[in-house]
Amino acid sequence: MTAVSLRAVLAVRVATLLAIWAAWELLARSGLIYEGIVPSSLTVVGSMVRQLAERTIYIDAIQTAYEVIAGFAVGSAAGASLGLLLGARRFADRAAAPYLQGLAATPKIVFLPILMLALGVGAGSKIGVGALSAFFPVAIATSEGMKGINPVLVRVAHSFNASGWQIVRTVLLPSLVEPVITGMRLGLGVSIVGVLLAEIKFAKAGLGHLAIQHYNFLRVADMYAVLLITFVLALAANALMGAIGRRLVRRR
């Protein structure tokens, strides 16, 4: 991408943010909607600055980060392992595909009561929701990536008497970097959503818990501030995952 196109993309992104901010502020000041529902963006920013100066937001952010990272790590590892197995065994893939696709489309929050019974009402059940959320995108992406590997490359490696590990290292892993990273980026996003929803439903700490507490006590500006902080953190996590993916693609 040229420098001119990069500047154009950046300009569009900035213009989009400014347009959203202007629309929000106009709606808040128009009187068309009760100000308690859509407070001024300046009020929200003021609340965000105040909360960032307090200790509570960091404790809740650390709790949510722990649940997301743990759930994402478990779900990604399990998903990649199953995806490799299904991609290597076409019969197993055809047999499991309807169940995998069906469960992938199911909102994972519906499993929260079961996870609470199995793992308790603490962080374990939130990690379980995060793991389930990340599992399916990674499993499907890995399986599809395995199917896309040119079998000629594997046969060539066999002809050079390559061992199983050498085939995995030189053929399979380089070919799977892009699909697996794509699946992991999707998995990270839905893992964050799953953990936040679980915290909103039942939790004693976390950003989701903090947001619903503000909502329950009609602190709407504070609620929007927590949501904005959460959005920025999610964007940063996605950008980090994208940077890692690009680095791995360049090095393969």
Side-chain angles (χ1 to χ4, degrees):
M1 189 177 291
T2 65
V4 175
S5 59
L6 282 173
R7 286 196 295 270
V9 169
L10 181 61
V12 169
R13 289 176 179 174
V14 172
T16 300
L17 287 176
L18 290 175
I20 293 172
W21 171 77
W24 177 284
E25 196 63 25
L26 286 172
L27 184 62
R29 296 175 183 273
S30 67
L32 297 174
I33 297 179
Y34 175 57
E35 64 178 359
I37 299 176
V38 184
S40 168
S41 62
L42 300 179
T43 305
V44 173
V45 170
S47 173
M48 184 172 66
V49 171
R50 176 177 55 78
Q51 291 189 70
L52 287 173
E54 299 173 353
R55 183 167 174 262
T56 303
I57 189 75
Y58 298 100
I59 295 174
D60 287 310
I62 290 171
Q63 180 68 24
T64 298
Y66 162 66
E67 293 165 353
V68 169
I69 292 171
F72 174 68
V74 172
S76 295
S81 300
L82 181 64
L84 288 170
L85 176 63
L86 295 180
R89 298 288 184 267
R90 298 301 172 88
F91 176 79
D93 179 67
R94 288 194 295 269
Y99 304 107
L100 196 63
Q101 297 288 348
L103 288 171
T106 304
K108 308 309 176 290
I109 195 65
V110 302
F111 297 106
L112 180 60
I114 300 173
L115 292 170
M116 289 171 66
L117 288 173
L119 303 173
V121 298
S125 56
K126 316 306 180 294
I127 292 171
V129 173
L132 272 178
S133 299
F135 172 80
F136 292 98
V138 176
I140 292 172
T142 305
S143 176
E144 293 300 318
M146 284 287 289
K147 295 175 193 175
I149 295 175
N150 191 342
V152 173
L153 298 177
V154 179
R155 288 198 293 269
V156 169
H158 277 301
S159 69
F160 283 96
N161 296 318
S163 65
W165 169 243
Q166 287 175 324
I167 292 174
V168 170
R169 183 172 57 85
T170 60
V171 178
L172 300 186
L173 290 182
S175 300
L176 288 174
V177 168
E178 287 191 71
V180 170
I181 289 296
T182 299
M184 290 179 70
R185 291 185 71 176
L186 292 173
L188 177 61
V190 293
S191 183
I192 293 171
V193 172
V195 168
L196 290 173
L197 287 176
E199 288 179 346
I200 287 172
K201 290 292 184 182
F202 194 92
K204 294 182 179 179
L207 292 175
H209 166 75
L210 184 60
I212 200 65
Q213 286 296 103
H214 288 318
Y215 170 82
N216 289 336
F217 289 97
L218 299 179
R219 300 190 292 260
V220 180
D222 293 342
M223 180 194 71
Y224 278 118
V226 172
L227 295 178
L228 183 59
I229 292 169
T230 304
F231 175 70
V232 171
L233 291 175
L235 279 180
N238 183 66
L240 177 62
M241 183 64 68
I244 293 172
R246 288 189 294 272
R247 184 178 181 87
L248 290 174
V249 169
R250 286 196 299 267
R251 292 181 59 183
R252 65 175 181 170

PDB file of all heavy atoms in Angstrom, residues 226-248:
ATOM      1  N   VAL A 226     -17.580   3.178  30.697  1.00  0.00           N
ATOM      2  CA  VAL A 226     -17.024   1.827  30.822  1.00  0.00           C
ATOM      3  C   VAL A 226     -17.080   1.107  29.481  1.00  0.00           C
ATOM      4  O   VAL A 226     -16.121   0.424  29.088  1.00  0.00           O
ATOM      5  CB  VAL A 226     -17.790   1.034  31.899  1.00  0.00           C
ATOM      6  CG1 VAL A 226     -17.356  -0.431  31.896  1.00  0.00           C
ATOM      7  CG2 VAL A 226     -17.571   1.644  33.264  1.00  0.00           C
ATOM      8  N   LEU A 227     -18.179   1.260  28.761  1.00  0.00           N
ATOM      9  CA  LEU A 227     -18.295   0.624  27.446  1.00  0.00           C
ATOM     10  C   LEU A 227     -17.251   1.176  26.475  1.00  0.00           C
ATOM     11  O   LEU A 227     -16.680   0.427  25.674  1.00  0.00           O
ATOM     12  CB  LEU A 227     -19.708   0.831  26.882  1.00  0.00           C
ATOM     13  CG  LEU A 227     -20.844   0.161  27.656  1.00  0.00           C
ATOM     14  CD1 LEU A 227     -22.181   0.499  27.013  1.00  0.00           C
ATOM     15  CD2 LEU A 227     -20.653  -1.346  27.721  1.00  0.00           C
ATOM     16  N   LEU A 228     -17.001   2.480  26.543  1.00  0.00           N
ATOM     17  CA  LEU A 228     -15.996   3.089  25.673  1.00  0.00           C
ATOM     18  C   LEU A 228     -14.590   2.572  26.014  1.00  0.00           C
ATOM     19  O   LEU A 228     -13.802   2.261  25.112  1.00  0.00           O
ATOM     20  CB  LEU A 228     -16.050   4.607  25.813  1.00  0.00           C
ATOM     21  CG  LEU A 228     -15.103   5.422  24.923  1.00  0.00           C
ATOM     22  CD1 LEU A 228     -15.372   5.126  23.447  1.00  0.00           C
ATOM     23  CD2 LEU A 228     -15.246   6.919  25.189  1.00  0.00           C
ATOM     24  N   ILE A 229     -14.291   2.460  27.297  1.00  0.00           N
ATOM     25  CA  ILE A 229     -12.997   1.916  27.714  1.00  0.00           C
ATOM     26  C   ILE A 229     -12.851   0.472  27.234  1.00  0.00           C
ATOM     27  O   ILE A 229     -11.798   0.073  26.734  1.00  0.00           O
ATOM     28  CB  ILE A 229     -12.855   1.999  29.249  1.00  0.00           C
ATOM     29  CG1 ILE A 229     -12.746   3.460  29.680  1.00  0.00           C
ATOM     30  CG2 ILE A 229     -11.641   1.205  29.728  1.00  0.00           C
ATOM     31  CD1 ILE A 229     -12.865   3.680  31.177  1.00  0.00           C
ATOM     32  N   THR A 230     -13.920  -0.298  27.376  1.00  0.00           N
ATOM     33  CA  THR A 230     -13.909  -1.695  26.927  1.00  0.00           C
ATOM     34  C   THR A 230     -13.681  -1.778  25.422  1.00  0.00           C
ATOM     35  O   THR A 230     -12.913  -2.622  24.937  1.00  0.00           O
ATOM     36  CB  THR A 230     -15.236  -2.385  27.292  1.00  0.00           C
ATOM     37  OG1 THR A 230     -15.461  -2.267  28.704  1.00  0.00           O
ATOM     38  CG2 THR A 230     -15.205  -3.856  26.904  1.00  0.00           C
ATOM     39  N   PHE A 231     -14.331  -0.896  24.677  1.00  0.00           N
ATOM     40  CA  PHE A 231     -14.186  -0.868  23.225  1.00  0.00           C
ATOM     41  C   PHE A 231     -12.741  -0.566  22.825  1.00  0.00           C
ATOM     42  O   PHE A 231     -12.171  -1.222  21.943  1.00  0.00           O
ATOM     43  CB  PHE A 231     -15.136   0.185  22.642  1.00  0.00           C
ATOM     44  CG  PHE A 231     -14.996   0.403  21.169  1.00  0.00           C
ATOM     45  CD1 PHE A 231     -15.401  -0.562  20.265  1.00  0.00           C
ATOM     46  CD2 PHE A 231     -14.447   1.581  20.680  1.00  0.00           C
ATOM     47  CE1 PHE A 231     -15.272  -0.363  18.904  1.00  0.00           C
ATOM     48  CE2 PHE A 231     -14.313   1.793  19.314  1.00  0.00           C
ATOM     49  CZ  PHE A 231     -14.728   0.812  18.428  1.00  0.00           C
ATOM     50  N   VAL A 232     -12.119   0.390  23.504  1.00  0.00           N
ATOM     51  CA  VAL A 232     -10.728   0.749  23.195  1.00  0.00           C
ATOM     52  C   VAL A 232      -9.800  -0.423  23.507  1.00  0.00           C
ATOM     53  O   VAL A 232      -8.889  -0.743  22.723  1.00  0.00           O
ATOM     54  CB  VAL A 232     -10.314   2.005  23.985  1.00  0.00           C
ATOM     55  CG1 VAL A 232      -8.817   2.260  23.843  1.00  0.00           C
ATOM     56  CG2 VAL A 232     -11.098   3.221  23.495  1.00  0.00           C
ATOM     57  N   LEU A 233     -10.017  -1.086  24.638  1.00  0.00           N
ATOM     58  CA  LEU A 233      -9.192  -2.238  24.997  1.00  0.00           C
ATOM     59  C   LEU A 233      -9.362  -3.376  23.995  1.00  0.00           C
ATOM     60  O   LEU A 233      -8.391  -4.051  23.621  1.00  0.00           O
ATOM     61  CB  LEU A 233      -9.545  -2.723  26.410  1.00  0.00           C
ATOM     62  CG  LEU A 233      -9.159  -1.782  27.558  1.00  0.00           C
ATOM     63  CD1 LEU A 233      -9.683  -2.317  28.881  1.00  0.00           C
ATOM     64  CD2 LEU A 233      -7.648  -1.587  27.617  1.00  0.00           C
ATOM     65  N   ALA A 234     -10.594  -3.603  23.529  1.00  0.00           N
ATOM     66  CA  ALA A 234     -10.841  -4.651  22.536  1.00  0.00           C
ATOM     67  C   ALA A 234     -10.164  -4.315  21.212  1.00  0.00           C
ATOM     68  O   ALA A 234      -9.585  -5.200  20.557  1.00  0.00           O
ATOM     69  CB  ALA A 234     -12.349  -4.843  22.333  1.00  0.00           C
ATOM     70  N   LEU A 235     -10.209  -3.049  20.813  1.00  0.00           N
ATOM     71  CA  LEU A 235      -9.514  -2.622  19.601  1.00  0.00           C
ATOM     72  C   LEU A 235      -8.009  -2.849  19.724  1.00  0.00           C
ATOM     73  O   LEU A 235      -7.361  -3.315  18.778  1.00  0.00           O
ATOM     74  CB  LEU A 235      -9.794  -1.141  19.321  1.00  0.00           C
ATOM     75  CG  LEU A 235     -11.109  -0.775  18.641  1.00  0.00           C
ATOM     76  CD1 LEU A 235     -11.175   0.737  18.456  1.00  0.00           C
ATOM     77  CD2 LEU A 235     -11.252  -1.472  17.299  1.00  0.00           C
ATOM     78  N   ALA A 236      -7.456  -2.538  20.890  1.00  0.00           N
ATOM     79  CA  ALA A 236      -6.021  -2.721  21.101  1.00  0.00           C
ATOM     80  C   ALA A 236      -5.646  -4.199  21.034  1.00  0.00           C
ATOM     81  O   ALA A 236      -4.630  -4.571  20.434  1.00  0.00           O
ATOM     82  CB  ALA A 236      -5.615  -2.134  22.450  1.00  0.00           C
ATOM     83  N   ALA A 237      -6.480  -5.063  21.621  1.00  0.00           N
ATOM     84  CA  ALA A 237      -6.213  -6.501  21.586  1.00  0.00           C
ATOM     85  C   ALA A 237      -6.275  -7.033  20.157  1.00  0.00           C
ATOM     86  O   ALA A 237      -5.435  -7.846  19.733  1.00  0.00           O
ATOM     87  CB  ALA A 237      -7.224  -7.237  22.467  1.00  0.00           C
ATOM     88  N   ASN A 238      -7.252  -6.559  19.389  1.00  0.00           N
ATOM     89  CA  ASN A 238      -7.375  -6.996  18.001  1.00  0.00           C
ATOM     90  C   ASN A 238      -6.199  -6.498  17.165  1.00  0.00           C
ATOM     91  O   ASN A 238      -5.681  -7.234  16.307  1.00  0.00           O
ATOM     92  CB  ASN A 238      -8.693  -6.491  17.410  1.00  0.00           C
ATOM     93  CG  ASN A 238      -8.913  -6.979  15.997  1.00  0.00           C
ATOM     94  OD1 ASN A 238      -9.083  -8.164  15.745  1.00  0.00           O
ATOM     95  ND2 ASN A 238      -8.906  -6.048  15.048  1.00  0.00           N
ATOM     96  N   ALA A 239      -5.770  -5.255  17.408  1.00  0.00           N
ATOM     97  CA  ALA A 239      -4.623  -4.715  16.678  1.00  0.00           C
ATOM     98  C   ALA A 239      -3.355  -5.503  17.001  1.00  0.00           C
ATOM     99  O   ALA A 239      -2.530  -5.771  16.118  1.00  0.00           O
ATOM    100  CB  ALA A 239      -4.439  -3.239  17.027  1.00  0.00           C
ATOM    101  N   LEU A 240      -3.193  -5.889  18.272  1.00  0.00           N
ATOM    102  CA  LEU A 240      -2.031  -6.685  18.669  1.00  0.00           C
ATOM    103  C   LEU A 240      -2.045  -8.044  17.977  1.00  0.00           C
ATOM    104  O   LEU A 240      -1.008  -8.503  17.469  1.00  0.00           O
ATOM    105  CB  LEU A 240      -2.015  -6.864  20.183  1.00  0.00           C
ATOM    106  CG  LEU A 240      -0.899  -7.749  20.749  1.00  0.00           C
ATOM    107  CD1 LEU A 240       0.469  -7.150  20.431  1.00  0.00           C
ATOM    108  CD2 LEU A 240      -1.074  -7.921  22.257  1.00  0.00           C
ATOM    109  N   MET A 241      -3.220  -8.676  17.945  1.00  0.00           N
ATOM    110  CA  MET A 241      -3.336  -9.969  17.266  1.00  0.00           C
ATOM    111  C   MET A 241      -3.038  -9.834  15.776  1.00  0.00           C
ATOM    112  O   MET A 241      -2.364 -10.688  15.183  1.00  0.00           O
ATOM    113  CB  MET A 241      -4.740 -10.534  17.477  1.00  0.00           C
ATOM    114  CG  MET A 241      -4.960 -11.919  16.867  1.00  0.00           C
ATOM    115  SD  MET A 241      -3.931 -13.192  17.616  1.00  0.00           S
ATOM    116  CE  MET A 241      -4.656 -13.248  19.249  1.00  0.00           C
ATOM    117  N   GLY A 242      -3.510  -8.750  15.164  1.00  0.00           N
ATOM    118  CA  GLY A 242      -3.225  -8.522  13.753  1.00  0.00           C
ATOM    119  C   GLY A 242      -1.741  -8.311  13.498  1.00  0.00           C
ATOM    120  O   GLY A 242      -1.195  -8.823  12.512  1.00  0.00           O
ATOM    121  N   ALA A 243      -1.077  -7.566  14.389  1.00  0.00           N
ATOM    122  CA  ALA A 243       0.370  -7.330  14.232  1.00  0.00           C
ATOM    123  C   ALA A 243       1.148  -8.632  14.367  1.00  0.00           C
ATOM    124  O   ALA A 243       2.088  -8.889  13.609  1.00  0.00           O
ATOM    125  CB  ALA A 243       0.837  -6.319  15.269  1.00  0.00           C
ATOM    126  N   ILE A 244       0.759  -9.471  15.328  1.00  0.00           N
ATOM    127  CA  ILE A 244       1.416 -10.778  15.492  1.00  0.00           C
ATOM    128  C   ILE A 244       1.214 -11.629  14.245  1.00  0.00           C
ATOM    129  O   ILE A 244       2.142 -12.289  13.757  1.00  0.00           O
ATOM    130  CB  ILE A 244       0.871 -11.489  16.737  1.00  0.00           C
ATOM    131  CG1 ILE A 244       1.283 -10.733  18.002  1.00  0.00           C
ATOM    132  CG2 ILE A 244       1.370 -12.931  16.796  1.00  0.00           C
ATOM    133  CD1 ILE A 244       0.641 -11.255  19.272  1.00  0.00           C
ATOM    134  N   GLY A 245      -0.018 -11.606  13.722  1.00  0.00           N
ATOM    135  CA  GLY A 245      -0.301 -12.381  12.519  1.00  0.00           C
ATOM    136  C   GLY A 245       0.518 -11.937  11.329  1.00  0.00           C
ATOM    137  O   GLY A 245       1.072 -12.770  10.599  1.00  0.00           O
ATOM    138  N   ARG A 246       0.631 -10.617  11.123  1.00  0.00           N
ATOM    139  CA  ARG A 246       1.426 -10.111   9.997  1.00  0.00           C
ATOM    140  C   ARG A 246       2.892 -10.473  10.153  1.00  0.00           C
ATOM    141  O   ARG A 246       3.570 -10.805   9.171  1.00  0.00           O
ATOM    142  CB  ARG A 246       1.252  -8.599   9.875  1.00  0.00           C
ATOM    143  CG  ARG A 246      -0.112  -8.174   9.364  1.00  0.00           C
ATOM    144  CD  ARG A 246      -0.153  -6.689   9.054  1.00  0.00           C
ATOM    145  NE  ARG A 246       0.005  -5.886  10.256  1.00  0.00           N
ATOM    146  CZ  ARG A 246      -0.995  -5.501  11.029  1.00  0.00           C
ATOM    147  NH1 ARG A 246      -2.230  -5.869  10.736  1.00  0.00           N
ATOM    148  NH2 ARG A 246      -0.781  -4.734  12.103  1.00  0.00           N
ATOM    149  N   ARG A 247       3.394 -10.445  11.371  1.00  0.00           N
ATOM    150  CA  ARG A 247       4.796 -10.795  11.613  1.00  0.00           C
ATOM    151  C   ARG A 247       5.028 -12.266  11.307  1.00  0.00           C
ATOM    152  O   ARG A 247       6.052 -12.636  10.685  1.00  0.00           O
ATOM    153  CB  ARG A 247       5.154 -10.486  13.065  1.00  0.00           C
ATOM    154  CG  ARG A 247       6.625 -10.716  13.403  1.00  0.00           C
ATOM    155  CD  ARG A 247       6.915 -10.332  14.841  1.00  0.00           C
ATOM    156  NE  ARG A 247       8.311 -10.531  15.169  1.00  0.00           N
ATOM    157  CZ  ARG A 247       9.264  -9.652  14.973  1.00  0.00           C
ATOM    158  NH1 ARG A 247       8.967  -8.489  14.392  1.00  0.00           N
ATOM    159  NH2 ARG A 247      10.522  -9.899  15.294  1.00  0.00           N
ATOM    160  N   LEU A 248       4.107 -13.128  11.729  1.00  0.00           N
ATOM    161  CA  LEU A 248       4.248 -14.556  11.471  1.00  0.00           C
ATOM    162  C   LEU A 248       4.162 -14.869   9.981  1.00  0.00           C
ATOM    163  O   LEU A 248       4.879 -15.739   9.468  1.00  0.00           O
ATOM    164  CB  LEU A 248       3.187 -15.340  12.241  1.00  0.00           C
ATOM    165  CG  LEU A 248       3.339 -15.388  13.758  1.00  0.00           C
ATOM    166  CD1 LEU A 248       2.144 -16.068  14.400  1.00  0.00           C
ATOM    167  CD2 LEU A 248       4.632 -16.095  14.141  1.00  0.00           C
TER     168      LEU A 248
END
